[in-house]
């Protein structure tokens, strides 16, 4: 049984942004609840290389910002590790600096498409050279002007790169998306003093003379909490309270879909600061199939592999569609989930923009899962291992350190 109370680590998206915005703000930004996963440590490392004094004490961080133009030219290549958020968002900031820098990352980052940010940033006047649309990126700071950009994808990373460049532009910048992506950047930039206005799918940022330091209390990451929601739902007799979880409406699609599937989930003790936060109470549930698609996809894009896994034990056939973004994450998550669920005896079909999963009564186990070094794939199958008929082994457990270094310890602690 999965029993007790758990506070999962801080939100990855918010942790990244708190360091980035604190670095280009005036004054000292204090961050509590910082996620010390490898991705966020990559962000700290990059800004240190550009002259920012950053102190890390467990999950507390002090960022001694130097203002919008306070970064200095790094004397080495800036390594983003496995972090697409770091690579894309920092590109927007670097596009306006008075120096040339090179951004790169691991083999996964060097396969992820960068033209989606290079195109709009170049329209603003940025000077970016790439390896045929992929990292490494050589960015020479330029004078930028505002644009009105209709993004072909609903992507917080694309939107954020443009908005960060827009801080430095000579005129307002507007980004319009086909559906609203997560809005952590907009909420936090306002907190740091930026002038933004938003409609349902558009954001306009005005040129900024300065950002000002702030204190950020990072809520627990709903994407990390989702794995424990799933564990409590799947294991008979379970009841779990997940504490202080961020339930931003642009991120809470996982809760809506799980409720649609019949999950016993209750939101309690909700509070609001600059981000809404609540405790989430979850208990064992019998699930039924659903259809996941449309505008809800950007609000649960990182949780779709987990939802596919849950669908494999739900009554009926679940359809996931409109999820092309899954193909350009840390791995092609559509293909990987189809291949790996099939090893467990699941009837799953890969489609052009998603998958169809026929629910089964049990999972066979006694297999080794190819994680493709993808943290969310590894954690998804670790959860399924709790209820499979035989052991589900992972070819790389260590990749969970990207977002949740204590994942296996917490899973063992909750599994009574």
């Amino acid at each position: 049984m999965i029993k007790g109370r758990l506070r999962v680590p801080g939100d990855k998206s918010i942790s990244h942004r708190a360091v980035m915005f604190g670095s280009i703000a005036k004054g000292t930004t204090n961050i509590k609840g910082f996620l010390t996963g490898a991705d966020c440590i990559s962000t700290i490392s990059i800004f240190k290389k550009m002259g920012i004094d950053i102190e890390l004490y467990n999950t507390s961080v002090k960022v001694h910002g130097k203002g919008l133009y306070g970064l200095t030219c790094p004397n080495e290549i800036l390594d983003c590790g496995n972090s697409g958020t770091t690579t894309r968002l920092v590109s927007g900031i670097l596009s306006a600096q008075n120096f040339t820098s090179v951004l790169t990352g691991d083999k996964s980052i060097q396969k992820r498409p960068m033209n989606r940010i290079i195109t709009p940033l170049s329209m603003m006047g940025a000077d970016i050279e790439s390896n045929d649309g992929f990292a490494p990126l050589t960015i020479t700071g330029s004078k930028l002007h505002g644009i009105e950009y209709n993004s072909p994808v609903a992507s917080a990373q694309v939107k954020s790169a443009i908005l960060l460049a827009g801080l430095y532009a000579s005129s307002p910048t507007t980004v319009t998306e086909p559906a609203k992506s997560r809005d952590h950047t907009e909420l936090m930039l306002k907190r740091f003093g930026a002038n933004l206005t938003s409609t349902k799918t558009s954001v306009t940022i005005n040129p900024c003379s300065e950002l000002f330091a702030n204190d950020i209390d990072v809520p627990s990451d709903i994407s990390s909490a989702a794995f424990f929601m799933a564990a409590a739902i799947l294991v008979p007799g379970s009841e779990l309270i997940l504490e202080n979880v961020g339930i931003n409406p642009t991120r809470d699609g996982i809760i809506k879909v799980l409720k649609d599937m019949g999950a016993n989930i209750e939101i309690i003790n909700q509070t609001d600061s600059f981000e809404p936060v609540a405790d989430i109470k979850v208990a064992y549930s019998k699930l039924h199939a659903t259809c996941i698609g449309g505008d809800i996809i950007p609000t649960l894009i990182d949780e779709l592999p987990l939802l596919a896994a849950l669908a494999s034990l739900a009554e009926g056939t679940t359809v996931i569609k409109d999820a092309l973004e899954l193909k350009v994450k840390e791995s092609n998550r559509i293909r990987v989930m189809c291949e790996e669920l099939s090893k467990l005896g699941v009837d799953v079909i890969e489609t052009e923009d998603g998958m169809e999963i026929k629910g089964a009564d049990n999972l066979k186990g006694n297999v080794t899962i190819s994680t493709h070094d993808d943290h969310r794939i590894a954690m998804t199958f670790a959860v399924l291992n709790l209820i499979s008929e035989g052991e589900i082994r992972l070819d790389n457990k260590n990749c969970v350190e990207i977002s949740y270094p204590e994942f296996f310890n917490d899973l063992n602690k909750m599994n009574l």
Side-chain angles (χ1 to χ4, degrees):
M1 292 185 294
I2 304 296
K3 287 280 189 180
R5 304 177 70 94
L6 176 66
R7 181 164 179 165
V8 303
D11 187 285
K12 185 153 75 87
S13 297
I14 296 171
S15 294
H16 277 304
R17 287 160 173 79
V19 169
M20 292 180 193
F21 304 172
S23 295
I24 58 173
K26 279 193 124 174
T28 298
T29 291
N30 296 290
I31 307 167
K32 291 197 311 184
F34 181 79
L35 172 65
T36 56
D39 275 9
C40 296
I41 298 300
S42 291
T43 293
I44 286 180
S45 173
I46 277 177
F47 281 92
K48 281 185 170 182
K49 289 174 182 174
M50 292 189 287
I52 303 300
D53 180 14
I54 302 174
E55 304 169 61
L56 174 62
Y57 309 95
N58 296 318
T59 60
S60 296
V61 182
K62 282 185 180 291
V63 182
H64 301 281
K66 292 187 175 181
L68 279 175
Y69 294 94
L71 302 179
T72 55
C73 182
N75 57 17
E76 58 186 292
I77 290 174
L78 300 174
D79 186 353
C80 301
N82 187 252
S83 178
T85 300
T86 309
T87 311
R88 293 189 175 118
L89 270 63
V90 170
S91 294
I93 296 170
L94 293 177
S95 292
Q97 302 304 314
N98 60 357
F99 53 76
T100 298
S101 53
V102 178
L103 277 176
T104 191
D106 66 12
K107 62 183 180 182
S108 170
I109 285 297
Q110 293 180 31
K111 293 177 183 175
R112 296 180 70 174
M114 293 298 158
N115 278 334
R116 52 179 48 191
I117 60 159
I118 293 171
T119 297
L121 292 176
S122 297
M123 290 168 63
M124 298 176 75
D127 180 354
I128 304 176
E129 296 178 14
S130 68
N131 180 21
D132 198 24
F134 299 91
L137 305 178
T138 301
I139 304 174
T140 300
S142 312
K143 290 196 177 298
L144 305 179
H145 55 265
I147 59 171
E148 294 185 5
Y149 187 68
N150 290 309
S151 178
V153 293
S155 165
Q157 292 180 4
V158 173
K159 175 177 63 176
S160 299
I162 299 167
L163 293 177
L164 287 169
L167 289 170
Y168 299 87
S170 59
S171 54
T173 296
T174 300
V175 185
T176 302
E177 301 180 285
K180 185 172 183 175
S181 64
R182 59 184 66 175
D183 63 357
H184 301 304
T185 292
E186 296 96 297
L187 294 174
M188 196 180 296
L189 279 178
K190 282 184 180 179
R191 192 174 173 95
F192 277 81
N195 183 354
L196 292 94
T197 54
S198 303
T199 63
K200 186 176 180 183
T201 56
S202 291
V203 186
T204 298
I205 189 165
N206 292 298
C208 185
S209 58
E210 205 64 82
L211 296 178
F212 299 95
N214 222 290
D215 290 345
I216 301 294
D217 192 352
V218 181
S220 294
D221 196 319
I222 192 169
S223 295
S224 295
F227 295 102
F228 289 90
M229 291 184 221
I233 288 166
L234 290 176
V235 178
S238 296
E239 186 173 284
L240 178 66
I241 293 177
L242 294 154
E243 299 176 343
N244 198 55
V245 180
I247 54 167
N248 182 307
T250 64
R251 292 282 298 283
D252 69 352
I254 179 70
I255 296 173
K256 293 174 182 173
V257 169
L258 287 176
K259 284 184 174 181
D260 285 345
M261 296 176 77
N264 184 350
I265 296 181
E266 187 181 351
I267 303 299
I268 55 178
N269 302 326
Q270 182 170 344
T271 58
D272 287 276
S273 54
F274 80 107
E275 291 268 357
V277 173
D279 295 342
I280 302 174
K281 186 177 181 180
V282 195
Y284 171 70
S285 314
K286 295 276 191 180
L287 300 181
H288 54 76
T290 191
C291 180
I292 309 168
D295 288 355
I296 201 167
I297 292 293
T299 71
L300 46 62
I301 191 70
D302 286 335
E303 290 75 64
L304 281 173
L306 182 64
L307 284 169
L310 285 167
S312 70
L313 290 156
E315 182 182 352
T317 300
T318 294
V319 176
I320 298 173
K321 60 181 182 177
D322 306 319
L324 280 171
E325 281 296 290
L326 280 186
K327 293 185 175 183
V328 292
K329 288 290 187 175
E330 282 83 339
S331 64
N332 179 340
R333 288 178 175 163
I334 293 176
R335 180 157 299 156
V336 171
M337 286 306 298
C338 290
E339 290 174 350
E340 303 308 316
L341 284 174
S342 295
K343 291 180 181 178
L344 305 180
V346 178
D347 185 353
V348 56
I349 299 170
E350 179 180 351
T351 62
E352 183 182 351
D353 62 350
M355 57 193 108
E356 297 177 6
I357 308 109
K358 185 176 180 180
D361 292 331
N362 49 55
L363 304 177
K364 67 181 186 182
N366 292 319
V367 298
T368 298
I369 295 300
S370 299
T371 62
H372 295 259
D373 303 326
D374 187 327
H375 55 131
R376 301 208 192 274
I377 301 296
M379 289 187 279
T380 294
F381 284 94
V383 169
L384 289 183
N385 183 53
L386 297 173
I387 46 83
S388 61
E389 291 187 343
E391 184 185 4
I392 297 174
R393 298 174 295 274
L394 305 174
D395 70 347
N396 180 9
K397 292 177 66 173
N398 295 333
C399 61
V400 304
E401 294 179 8
I402 289 165
S403 63
Y404 198 156
E406 294 298 314
F407 173 73
F408 289 106
N409 287 341
D410 284 349
L411 191 61
N412 290 334
K413 184 172 65 178
M414 292 295 105
N415 190 19
L416 302 179

